[in-house]
């Protein structure tokens, strides 16, 4: 059974850097074709894709947010970390990580982590 | 504005068949597979359909997906009250080199 869970701060101040961790089980990020991605959903709005990292360390980012995002695999093997710099109120959203296949939309999702940006 | 276009709302009565459309372009739906998700209020998205028309185990066969050219559709037959939710489509986009989502369709069971 594939499970994912996001963790991180619930409140960040404007201009701060957000660091979110996705801890997963039920699959290996060392297996060919496997990836873990991040998406977000502001309250009452549609989903927005952010980034993905694959088993071979290949990474892709949303073009509109690329300069602010970094995605990385943790050496433990079952964690993926997303950092987003220069946070703004417009970044207030629920952030989700998900298991994904190569060049594919997300499949299994975590429960999400609500992040509020406010001073 | 979302890259994939969905109607903002849809509705039906119990037992009816409803369809939700998802329109894209040659760089996304036209060349890659489509997933559909159901999102109940206050919960994470749950994949209903993957690879255009495949159902994960546990998803009722009342839900089906299809794709033609640069458009995809989700069909729900035998509509039930518990189907009231938001539905999203998604695909990989070769030009953006990332995933694109639809804006979501809110399904109301009358």
């Amino acid at each position: 059974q594939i499970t994912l869970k996001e963790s991180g701060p619930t409140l960040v101040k404007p201009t701060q850097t957000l660091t979110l961790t996705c801890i997963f089980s039920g699959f290996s990020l060392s297996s060919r074709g496997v990836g873990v991605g991040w998406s977000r959903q502001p309250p009452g709005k549609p989903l927005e894709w952010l980034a993905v990292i694959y088993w071979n360390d290949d990474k892709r980012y949303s073009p509109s947010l690329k300069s602010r995002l970094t995605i990385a695999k943790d050496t433990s093997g079952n964690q993926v970390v997303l950092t987003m710099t220069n946070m703004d109120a417009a970044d207030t959203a629920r952030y989700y990580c998900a298991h994904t296949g190569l060049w594919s939309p997300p499949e299994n999702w975590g429960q999400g982590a609500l992040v509020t940006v406010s001073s | 504005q979302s890259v994939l276009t969905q109607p903002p709302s849809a509705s039906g009565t119990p037992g009816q068949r409803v369809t939700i459309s998802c329109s894209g372009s040659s760089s996304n739906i036209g060349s890659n597979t489509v997933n559909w998700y159901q999102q109940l209020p206050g919960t994470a998205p749950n994949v209903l359909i993957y690879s255009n028309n495949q159902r994960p185990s546990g998803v009722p066969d009342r839900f089906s997906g299809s794709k033609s050219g640069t458009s995809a559709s989700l069909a729900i037959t035998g509509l039930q009250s518990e189907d009231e939710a938001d539905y999203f489509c998604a695909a990989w986009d070769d030009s953006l080199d990332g995933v694109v989502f639809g804006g979501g369709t809110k399904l109301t069971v009358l």
Side-chain angles (χ1 to χ4, degrees):
Chain A
Q1 180 189 4
I2 291 175
T3 64
L4 305 99
K5 187 171 185 179
E6 306 86 351
S7 63
T10 57
L11 180 67
V12 297
K13 290 180 168 50
T15 75
Q16 284 188 335
T17 294
L18 171 68
T19 299
L20 292 171
T21 300
C22 175
I23 299 176
F24 58 85
S25 63
F27 66 94
S28 172
L29 196 44
S30 299
S31 299
R32 184 179 180 84
V34 173
V36 171
W38 287 89
S39 301
R40 69 180 180 180
Q41 187 174 34
K45 293 190 176 182
L47 292 159
E48 178 184 18
W49 181 78
L50 301 176
V52 65
I53 186 167
Y54 292 111
W55 83 102
N56 58 358
D57 211 38
D58 197 357
K59 303 162 189 173
R60 294 291 187 271
Y61 296 98
S62 164
S64 62
L65 294 167
K66 186 173 183 176
S67 64
R68 299 173 54 204
L69 293 172
T70 303
I71 191 170
K73 294 185 287 178
D74 189 89
T75 53
S76 68
N78 72 331
Q79 296 186 32
V80 169
V81 177
L82 180 77
T83 60
M84 179 180 289
T85 61
N86 194 25
M87 293 292 285
D88 178 80
D91 297 314
T92 293
R94 184 168 292 274
Y95 288 74
Y96 296 98
C97 65
H99 164 267
T100 184
L102 188 61
W103 317 133
S104 296
E107 296 175 3
N108 309 86
W109 298 67
Q111 64 189 24
L114 181 61
V115 177
T116 301
V117 183
S118 174
S119 56
Chain B
Q1 190 167 347
S2 301
V3 173
L4 303 181
T5 301
Q6 298 180 235
S9 64
S11 63
T13 56
Q16 268 191 331
R17 179 181 188 271
V18 297
T19 61
I20 298 172
S21 61
C22 175
S23 177
S25 67
S26 58
S27 64
N28 42 65
I29 293 178
S31 52
N32 295 295
T33 61
V34 177
N35 285 8
W36 286 93
Y37 310 95
Q38 178 191 61
Q39 188 173 33
L40 298 169
T43 69
N46 180 53
V47 63
L48 281 178
I49 299 291
Y50 67 96
S51 296
N52 303 327
N53 55 18
Q54 302 299 301
R55 275 189 314 276
S57 60
V59 173
D61 60 6
R62 301 187 296 106
F63 295 91
S64 62
S66 63
K67 188 181 94 167
S68 178
T70 59
S71 294
S73 292
L74 173 71
I76 309 172
T77 58
L79 197 62
Q80 299 179 5
S81 58
E82 55 260 41
D83 298 333
E84 193 161 282
D86 292 325
Y87 293 84
F88 295 90
C89 57
W92 185 267
D93 190 295
D94 293 333
S95 296
L96 297 176
D97 211 14
V99 174
V100 290
F101 287 103
T105 298
K106 184 174 183 61
L107 176 63
T108 301
V109 181
L110 302 169

